Amino acid sequence: MDEIRTSFKIAYEEICMDSFLKRYHFEEKDRMLLDAVCRFLTEVVEVEAGILLKDEQAVCIVTLGKRYDELSNLIVDAGHLLLSYSLECFGMELLSRAYKRIDEMVLEKVGKQLGEYKFLGDKELENMEEGLFEIHNIPVHWENGMLHPLKSVIFTASYRKEGEKAGCNSCEQCENITCSFRKVVERKNKLYENVDNRKRSAKAYSYGASMIFGGEKE
């Protein structure tokens, strides 16, 4: 089995601010603040990734590292809600750009493209074989029911055959209903059963944003 161990920064130019404002429902008056946050994060946050290339699939670990967590904690402690939420959103943007880099690296290394990503859930992470986190020498660990650093993901992806879907495109099957990149799909997931219309239309936040704004009040 081959391994890829890499670190890189996402360039400021890779993030389109117009699309960012629309995706996360920011107001135009916030553009200058968001632009400054984006420039700062792309300078100081480094993506670390480890990819284990098995015969039939790749196992990938990706993290924004401790520095991102430290910045997030400082801002949350300061009580700046807008800045905290913007940091959470940019974190997701950086991870999405990192996925594209991983696809390119795998293609260059083995001449195959990755198929749909299957993000490991809590039960899978708890039962993960000992030592997997260390295989890539990536500073990610499972503790108290969460991955640390907090902006970290572990996923597997089979190599794609011609005509198959690629990348993170399993929205209909995915239980991460708060994902900001989630596409509009027919909601067949049981999580949506017996939910009234008010809850269906409520704004959903990712874990980090939920921690910032708090849960929805009845």
Side-chain angles (χ1 to χ4, degrees), residues 6 18 31-32 114-115 128 132 142 146 153 166 169 186:
T6 185
D18 288 338
R31 181 183 288 269
M32 288 185 64
L114 292 179
M128 185 174 290
L132 179 58
W142 177 256
M146 291 185 290
V153 295
N169 290 303
E186 183 181 353

Side-chain angles (χ1 to χ4, degrees), residues 10-134:
I10 303 298
Y12 163 78
E13 292 77 14
E14 293 182 53
I15 298 178
C16 174
M17 199 56 61
D18 288 338
S19 298
F20 183 86
L21 264 69
K22 292 178 182 177
R23 178 177 295 118
Y24 298 103
H25 309 288
F26 285 102
E27 298 180 11
E28 182 62 33
K29 65 182 179 63
D30 301 321
R31 181 183 288 269
M32 288 185 64
L33 171 66
L34 296 172
D35 187 76
V37 173
C38 184
R39 288 180 182 275
F40 177 71
L41 283 180
T42 53
E43 284 293 328
V44 303
V45 173
E46 188 169 59
V47 179
E48 294 186 76
I51 309 165
L52 183 64
L53 300 168
K54 296 186 175 183
D55 291 339
E56 300 297 329
Q57 67 175 4
V59 181
C60 306
I61 299 178
V62 188
T63 181
L64 299 187
K66 290 183 178 180
R67 181 173 288 181
Y68 176 91
D69 283 3
E70 291 167 353
L71 288 170
S72 180
N73 290 337
L74 283 172
I75 295 171
V76 169
D77 290 344
H80 197 306
L81 295 183
L82 177 60
L83 190 55
S84 296
Y85 180 57
S86 68
L87 195 72
E88 170 72 12
C89 296
F90 277 118
M92 291 186 285
E93 288 286 322
L94 294 178
L95 283 176
S96 75
R97 300 305 187 280
Y99 301 153
K100 182 179 180 181
R101 297 277 187 93
I102 288 172
D103 290 344
E104 293 170 350
M105 285 186 282
V106 171
L107 179 61
E108 181 178 354
K109 183 74 174 181
V110 300
K112 299 177 182 177
Q113 293 182 314
L114 292 179
E116 290 189 66
Y117 297 175
K118 299 185 185 301
F119 291 90
L120 275 62
D122 292 354
K123 291 182 179 179
E124 294 166 303
L125 290 168
E126 288 173 353
N127 297 325
M128 185 174 290
E129 58 193 77
E130 281 295 322
L132 179 58
F133 293 109
E134 288 77 36

Side-chain angles (χ1 to χ4, degrees), residues 9 12 22 24 36 89 102 135 138 144 155 169 185 196 206:
K9 290 182 178 179
Y12 163 78
K22 292 178 182 177
Y24 298 103
C89 296
I102 288 172
I135 286 178
I138 297 293
N144 298 326
F155 63 90
N169 290 303
V185 296
D196 61 37
S206 68

